Amino acid sequence: MTVDAGERFARLQLARSERIGPVTFAQLVARYGTAAAALDALPGVIRKAGGATYTAARTEDIEAEIARGEALGARLMVIGEPDYPPALAAVDPAAPVLWIRGRVELLSRDSIAIVGARIASAGGQRIARGLASQLGETGMSVVSGLARGIDAAAHWGALPTGTVAVLGGGVDDVYPSDNRELYDRLVDEGCIVSESPPGTRAQARDFPRRNRIISGLSQGVIVVEAEIRSGSLITARLAAEQGREVFAVPGSPLDPRSRGPNSLIRDGATLCERVEDVLESLGTRVARRIRPERPTTVALPDEVDSETLSRVEALLSPTPTPRDDLARSLALPVAVVSGALLELSLVGRARLLPGGLASR
């Protein structure tokens, strides 16, 4: 479908509305055809599911967000537009909206992410910068998160050829502040991307979403120095779930920063010692610019009766459960269970999770 100005506004408004995450957003648009139709239907759906009066994000708040973005020279991009990054569009669920500063065309290139420790060794930073520079020379964009250490080194290495920084806060949130010079260079020569509204300061809960976009934009993720419990290993896990290649640069077992990459290699990640390791592993995916197909969506019913809502809710627990398992247990079509879960999520009685999972 064509996403005109009115539908772009509606998609931003739906994405910013209460209890509407990426999974719920995708299912509502699939069910009603457009975000505008979903917004019209929401109060009635929520009322039927036993919820209180529902008000979507205020029009004036959406207008203010757009004005802030335009004042920065940023561009709003919504899922469904032709130049929405194709690799990210294939992620289930994709980010409904993006704010972008800089060279938008970098988002449509084949890309590789390089992530790692904030408190990185000089050797680790040298490796990250060298890999980024060499991968950039092959025509790939290098994606990272503008953090200290490995992220910053990767951005500097790929700045002459094209690099993308994904932020947890808004596209104007320079964090850490000592990366201000790098941020300014990225606005002029690279690309800044964020799912958050302009003016938003990053909080801890924003970084998993940021990491999901980093891996989603990329054909593969390279981890250079990372602790076992770190955001970099979360990014690697997300990459594997998204069908991306995971690479790890090995290090000394005496250095705690090597434990993350070394554990990834033990678990099956590709050992990365030189740029050829990456190019050989990606193979024809890069050479032929093959993109993953967008996940198929289940056609949801227009309405779900109250009895079915109660039966589905009764099977939910804090442990995420595949909707297919719920459907088998209830002897109901997957589409009906998916519709029930959507309605329950809108009144806070269920949580929709990526990969067709749901919990209480």
Side-chain angles (χ1 to χ4, degrees):
M1 61 165 291
T2 302
V3 182
D4 59 20
E7 177 63 9
R8 289 176 79 248
F9 189 96
R11 292 194 174 204
L12 179 58
Q13 185 175 16
L14 182 62
R16 299 294 186 235
S17 296
E18 187 180 1
R19 293 197 293 273
I20 307 296
V23 179
T24 308
F25 178 97
Q27 293 199 7
L28 284 169
V29 173
R31 183 174 188 172
Y32 295 104
T34 65
L39 286 167
D40 289 341
L42 268 178
V45 173
I46 289 173
R47 199 161 46 245
K48 183 176 73 67
T53 303
Y54 182 84
T55 303
R58 299 189 312 162
T59 299
E60 51 266 42
D61 291 340
I62 302 305
E63 291 172 342
E65 178 177 339
I66 291 172
R68 285 195 300 272
E70 290 177 345
L72 291 168
R75 175 182 169 183
L76 171 65
M77 186 180 289
V78 302
I79 184 72
E81 290 187 294
D83 52 356
Y84 187 97
L88 188 58
V91 173
D92 182 18
V97 300
L98 299 171
W99 280 102
I100 301 162
R101 295 188 75 181
R103 298 172 56 195
V104 175
E105 71 273 12
L106 294 179
L107 299 175
S108 295
R109 286 187 189 176
D110 288 303
S111 301
I112 192 81
I114 300 178
V115 297
R118 287 174 169 80
I119 304 175
S121 70
Q125 293 180 62
R126 184 177 67 252
I127 290 169
R129 190 165 187 153
L131 284 171
S133 176
Q134 293 173 67
L135 288 164
E137 289 171 359
T138 71
M140 301 182 77
S141 295
V142 172
V143 183
S144 199
L146 197 68
R148 292 185 180 94
I150 297 301
D151 287 22
H155 286 309
W156 281 117
L159 198 59
T161 53
T163 182
V164 177
V166 185
L167 308 187
V171 287
D172 53 345
D173 182 28
V174 185
Y175 180 82
S177 58
D178 50 3
N179 274 345
R180 165 58 73 176
E181 180 188 356
L182 175 56
Y183 174 90
D184 290 340
R185 291 283 300 275
L186 283 163
V187 171
D188 291 336
E189 304 169 47
C191 185
I192 304 283
V193 178
S194 175
E195 193 177 1
S196 301
T200 304
R201 294 293 168 253
Q203 299 182 40
R205 66 173 181 268
D206 297 317
F207 290 104
R209 293 189 299 113
R210 189 261 326 243
N211 295 344
R212 186 173 180 82
I213 294 175
I214 289 174
S215 57
L217 284 169
S218 310
Q219 274 67 52
V221 172
I222 304 172
V223 179
V224 184
E225 294 190 342
E227 297 274 2
I228 290 292
R229 297 184 181 278
S230 65
S232 299
L233 261 63
I234 291 173
T235 305
R237 176 179 58 78
L238 291 168
E241 291 173 356
Q242 294 165 348
R244 276 49 172 168
E245 299 287 338
V246 177
F247 303 90
V249 176
S252 167
L254 301 177
D255 187 342
R257 290 168 295 200
S258 297
R259 290 176 185 161
N262 290 350
S263 71
L264 289 173
I265 293 168
R266 283 196 302 272
D267 291 341
T270 300
L271 185 147
C272 177
E273 295 179 310
R274 55 198 184 114
V275 70
E276 287 79 10
D277 295 328
V278 178
L279 299 177
E280 289 169 7
S281 182
L282 292 178
T284 57
R285 180 183 292 196
V286 171
R288 298 180 186 173
R289 302 185 64 80
I290 293 176
R291 301 295 192 183
E293 304 238 345
R294 285 204 67 185
T296 56
T297 55
V298 176
L300 303 183
D302 291 335
E303 208 167 308
V304 180
D305 60 70
S306 299
E307 181 185 352
T308 300
L309 290 177
S310 297
R311 291 177 65 201
V312 172
E313 184 180 11
L315 288 184
L316 295 176
S317 74
T319 302
T321 304
R323 66 185 177 194
D324 291 5
D325 289 357
L326 296 172
R328 275 192 293 272
S329 297
L330 295 167
L332 290 172
V334 173
V336 172
V337 172
S338 296
L341 290 170
L342 172 60
E343 295 191 15
L344 290 169
S345 73
L346 293 171
V347 293
R349 290 156 59 188
R351 291 181 61 232
L352 299 183
L353 306 169
L357 301 174
S359 67
R360 183 181 298 157

